[in-house]
């Protein structure tokens, strides 16, 4: 008879799973609270003591730490010596292990928790069982997540074994789960001990959502949050409307949030490419917005605007006239929400204002605890973040999964952005000439050289090259024509006869006009703007050659 060992603190779905196991002739073995829960549901259960010959000890601290359990899990079915050894010891194999761990994270999230209470919720037997089953995944099916119970139920109903690749995936999930559990325990005890510079820093993050792509469409990406991310962080933001957030949206919104919280007076911040392009404070939030807009009416186009007070209808009316990616605020007046919701793609984020420790830090106070990173709660908050994607509570996105090997990681408040490296290599045949004049052979060589370089320059990025040499680089500007002017100024007389590369498309013709006036002869850029025709016309008027790559290389 096949045997399953079940010991769970999270009881979701366990009765349904146990019922399916019993219906297909599997013996259920269980411990303490789980055995009681299953027995009350009418499911026959063999207590673990019947396997070990030992009662639970030390107030339940020792239940499954016994050879009769671990040998039954770790014995390899393909090794006759293993099978003979457990047979001589009178031990039967365990085929399914369904275990999840003591609720340590939930316990330490309580503001009144004591160290003694936390220590009692450090699971010892559970991780040992899981690691043993995951090590022997070829013979033992390990299940740590109730959402995976359906895999086993389906296999029982069809009579087909769970495929090897699925077993491997479940084993990897177990080790991620136990590693994260240990990381949370280690972080808590390290904090309690007052360690400010531990010899090892072990962090863990939970996947909040998949992203459509990373900084660029050819890079897969995901967003992960800290286990105790405060509601006031970008990881705790609530998206009220608009398109799905992208990697760059989250990064820019976090930058805007960090800046606007520096001010105690009413403040508004406009951000492009993580840099402020307009900041204003005033006696009222309306005055603050007017100043932020007036600071740079050009760069605010396509930007992120953050408020440190609720957005009133008067500001909403003015912002509705602009193209903005995101508006982020502690709240929106109902009238303001109605106005802004006319723009269906505009993303609106509600983020709770800082409280307690975060409020002190936002106002310029000293960090309250030794070694605690900025914006970390003094003690984990029990509030669960709503997440930036309300449609995806578990954060799963089948269309987009974060990379596994050598990811690029960027920290934001309350989490991490994880994406594939930008490994795209452009070939000449991938480019499309869009002007009346095609590049000369010499210009082609310069354009491809410039494109290789601009990929590694902070956005907005413009690079001028000639003779296998960069002569001007404009980096990290809030608008593209500004980056072009910086690159041209750096190039000086060498701009005449140079070629220009842009990491992203031109939203209007001004960059082309500026380049032509400086004597640039050819341009390479991704294309894709709704106003591409204007840039093409400007290039034709000046006799420039211009090619589109169809690929952008944002780099924040």
């Amino acid at each position: 008879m096949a045997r399953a060992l079940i010991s769970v603190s999270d009881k979701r779905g366990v009765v349904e799973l146990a019922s399916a196991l019993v219906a297909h002739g599997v013996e259920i073995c269980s411990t303490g609270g789980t055995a009681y829960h299953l027995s009350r549901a009418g499911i026959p259960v063999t207590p673990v003591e019947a396997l070990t010959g030992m009662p639970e000890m030390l107030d339940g601290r020792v239940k499954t730490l016994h050879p009769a359990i671990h040998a039954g899990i770790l014995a390899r079915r393909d090794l006759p010596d293993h099978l003979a050894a457990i047979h001589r010891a009178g031990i039967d194999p365990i085929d399914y292990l369904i275990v999840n761990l003591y609720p340590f994270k939930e316990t330490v999230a309580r503001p009144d928790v004591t160290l003694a209470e936390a220590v009692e919720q450090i699971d010892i037997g559970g991780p040992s069982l899981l690691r043993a089953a995951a090590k022997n995944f070829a013979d033992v099916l390990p299940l740590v997540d109730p959402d995976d119970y359906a895999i086993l139920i389906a296999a029982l109903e069809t009579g087909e074994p769970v495929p090897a690749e699925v077993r491997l995936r479940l084993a990897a999930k177990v080790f991620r789960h136990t590693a994260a559990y240990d990381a949370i325990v280690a972080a808590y005890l390290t904090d309690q001990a007052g360690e400010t510079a531990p010899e090892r820093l072990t962090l863990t993050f939970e996947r909040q959502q998949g992203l459509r792509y990373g900084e660029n469409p050819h890079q897969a990406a995901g967003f992960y949050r800290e286990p105790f991310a405060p509601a006031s962080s970008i990881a705790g933001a609530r998206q009220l409307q608009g398109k799905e957030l992208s990697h760059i949206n989250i990064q820019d919104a976090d930058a805007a949030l960090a800046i606007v919280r520096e001010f105690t007076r009413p403040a508004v911040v406009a951000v492009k490419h993580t840099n402020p392009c307009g900041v204003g404070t005033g006696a009222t939030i309306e005055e603050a917005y007017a100043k932020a807009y007036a600071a740079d009416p050009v760069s605010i186009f396509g930007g992120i605007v953050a408020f440190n007070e609720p957005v009133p209808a008067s500001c909403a009316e003015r912002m509705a006239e602009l193209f903005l990616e995101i508006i982020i605020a502690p709240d929106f007046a109902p009238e303001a929400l109605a106005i802004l919701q006319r723009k269906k793609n505009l993303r609106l984020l509600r983020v709770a204002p800082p409280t307690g420790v975060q409020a002190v830090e936002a106002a310029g106070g000293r960090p309250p605890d030794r070694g605690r990173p900025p914006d970390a709660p003094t003690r984990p908050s029990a509030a669960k973040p709503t997440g930036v994607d309300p449609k995806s509570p578990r954060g799963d996105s089948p269309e987009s999964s974060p990379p596994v090997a050598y990811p690029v990681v960027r920290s934001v408040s309350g989490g991490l952005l994880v994406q594939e490296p930008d490994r795209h290599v452009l070939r000449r045949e991938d480019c499309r000439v869009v002007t009346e004049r095609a590049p000369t052979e010499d210009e082609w060589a310069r354009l491809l050289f410039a494109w290789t370089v601009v990929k590694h320059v902070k956005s907005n990025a413009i690079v001028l090259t000639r003779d296998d040499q960069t002569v001007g680089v404009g980096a990290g500007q809030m608008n593209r024509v500004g980056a072009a002017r910086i690159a041209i100024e750096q190039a000086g007389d060498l701009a005449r006869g140079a070629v220009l590369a842009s990491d992203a498309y031109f939203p209007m013709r001004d960059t082309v006009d500026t380049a032509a006036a400086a004597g640039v002869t050819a341009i390479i850029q991704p294309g894709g703007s709704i106003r591409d025709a204007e840039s093409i016309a400007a290039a034709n008027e000046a006799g420039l050659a211009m090619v589109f790559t169809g690929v952008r290389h944002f780099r924040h």
Side-chain angles (χ1 to χ4, degrees):
M1 176 181 286
R3 174 177 284 172
L5 175 57
I6 305 178
S7 180
V8 293
S9 60
D10 181 353
K11 304 294 194 294
R12 287 182 299 129
V14 71
V15 170
E16 292 78 9
L17 174 61
S19 298
L21 287 165
V22 169
H24 290 85
V26 178
E27 180 189 4
I28 304 291
C29 301
S30 191
T31 60
T34 303
Y36 177 74
H37 183 75
L38 295 177
S39 296
R40 287 196 62 183
I43 296 170
V45 175
T46 300
V48 166
E49 302 93 282
L51 275 60
T52 64
M54 294 282 294
E56 291 185 8
M57 298 174 63
L58 309 179
D59 299 319
R61 282 189 170 198
V62 178
K63 291 177 285 196
T64 58
L65 296 170
H66 192 282
I69 302 296
H70 284 271
I73 294 171
L74 285 165
R76 286 178 52 177
R77 289 16 171 207
D78 62 332
L79 295 181
D81 287 350
H82 279 205
L83 297 177
I86 63 172
H87 178 72
R88 286 194 300 272
I91 297 171
D92 290 325
I94 292 172
D95 305 283
Y96 308 106
L97 185 85
I98 299 93
V99 170
N100 51 60
L101 307 178
Y102 292 171
F104 181 84
K105 174 184 164 185
E106 293 76 10
T107 299
V108 298
R110 289 177 15 224
D112 60 343
V113 68
T114 65
L115 176 60
E117 289 171 331
V119 166
E120 282 307 307
Q121 291 301 319
I122 298 175
D123 203 327
I124 302 301
S128 299
L129 291 170
L130 284 168
R131 288 169 60 84
K135 176 176 180 175
N136 202 22
F137 68 88
D139 296 314
V140 182
L141 187 72
L143 291 172
V144 72
D145 185 350
D147 288 338
D148 292 327
Y149 292 172
I151 295 171
L152 177 52
I153 292 173
L156 292 168
E157 291 176 349
T158 62
E160 296 292 330
V162 176
E165 62 272 17
V166 176
R167 288 175 171 269
L168 176 59
R169 179 170 62 81
L170 293 171
K173 189 171 189 175
V174 162
F175 282 108
R176 291 195 301 272
H177 182 81
T178 56
Y181 188 88
D182 286 343
I184 293 172
V185 173
Y188 175 80
L189 293 180
T190 298
D191 182 68
Q192 292 294 309
E195 293 279 1
T196 59
E199 75 288 349
R200 286 184 177 84
L201 184 63
T202 305
L203 305 176
T204 185
F205 295 84
E206 301 163 355
R207 189 172 187 213
Q208 178 148 307
Q209 69 184 97
L211 302 173
R212 284 188 298 166
Y213 49 78
E215 287 180 297
N216 301 290
H218 55 276
Q219 294 170 266
F223 183 35
Y224 290 75
R225 70 171 178 266
E226 297 172 7
F228 302 110
S232 59
S233 68
I234 194 64
R238 172 73 175 178
Q239 185 171 352
L240 304 181
Q241 75 154 43
K243 296 187 296 185
E244 179 185 2
L245 289 171
S246 71
H247 179 289
I248 288 175
N249 290 154
I250 295 171
Q251 202 172 350
D252 285 345
D254 184 59
L257 198 60
I259 299 167
V260 82
R261 285 180 173 168
E262 293 282 350
F263 302 98
T264 53
R265 298 182 72 205
V268 176
V269 173
V271 161
K272 285 288 286 294
H273 296 269
T274 70
N275 290 315
C277 59
V279 178
T281 66
T284 66
I285 200 70
E286 290 88 348
E287 182 185 353
Y289 173 76
K291 289 179 178 179
Y293 174 79
D296 190 345
V298 175
S299 297
I300 198 172
F301 177 87
I304 280 84
V305 177
F307 290 68
N308 66 354
E309 291 188 0
V311 176
S314 56
C315 291
E317 287 282 8
R318 297 187 64 182
M319 288 188 290
E321 300 170 359
L322 302 173
F323 166 60
L324 298 172
E325 290 282 358
I326 297 173
I327 301 172
I328 183 168
D331 210 345
F332 296 80
E335 300 84 358
L337 209 53
I339 293 166
L340 296 171
Q341 285 174 341
R342 298 173 196 158
K343 306 188 79 169
K344 300 300 183 185
N345 289 331
L346 174 63
R347 303 163 177 96
L348 303 179
L349 297 184
R350 179 190 290 146
V351 182
T355 59
V357 172
Q358 297 80 38
V360 172
E361 292 177 345
R366 294 178 56 194
D369 267 350
R370 299 166 293 181
R372 191 170 274 114
D375 207 34
T378 306
R379 187 166 281 158
S381 168
K384 295 182 180 179
T386 56
V388 294
D389 183 4
K391 299 176 184 175
S392 182
R394 292 193 64 249
D396 293 330
S397 173
E399 297 80 20
S400 162
S401 58
V404 174
Y406 309 112
V408 176
V409 178
R410 301 281 171 81
S411 62
V412 295
S413 60
L416 294 177
L417 289 162
V418 182
Q419 65 173 337
E420 288 178 327
D422 185 356
R423 295 195 182 98
H424 184 271
V425 177
L426 183 72
R427 300 173 301 172
R428 176 169 165 175
E429 55 266 32
D430 297 329
C431 300
R432 179 167 62 96
V433 178
V434 295
T435 47
E436 295 167 358
R437 184 175 80 79
T440 65
E441 287 301 310
D442 183 55
E443 286 172 332
W444 268 116
R446 295 180 182 184
L447 288 169
L448 293 173
F449 175 72
W451 183 255
T452 302
V453 174
V454 81
K455 172 181 175 182
H456 296 278
V457 178
K458 295 289 186 181
S459 303
N460 284 315
I462 296 289
V463 169
L464 269 63
T465 66
R466 57 183 301 158
D467 305 324
D468 298 325
Q469 177 189 23
T470 59
V471 294
V473 177
Q477 296 307 297
M478 287 72 79
N479 64 63
R480 196 157 298 280
V481 70
R485 288 173 179 148
I486 290 171
I488 289 166
E489 181 181 359
Q490 182 187 8
D493 293 341
L494 293 176
R496 189 161 299 279
V499 303
L500 179 151
S502 174
D503 65 329
Y505 64 62
F506 301 142
M508 49 194 70
R509 63 175 284 165
D510 53 3
T511 302
V512 179
D513 290 332
T514 301
V520 168
T521 65
I523 293 174
I524 186 168
Q525 60 131 321
S529 169
I530 59 173
R531 301 175 72 172
D532 275 344
E534 295 177 23
S535 296
I536 294 169
N540 285 330
E541 291 166 16
L544 273 65
M546 187 160 65
V547 300
F548 285 0
T549 65
V551 175
R552 81 171 188 214
H553 287 297
F554 271 152
R555 188 179 183 87
H556 276 50

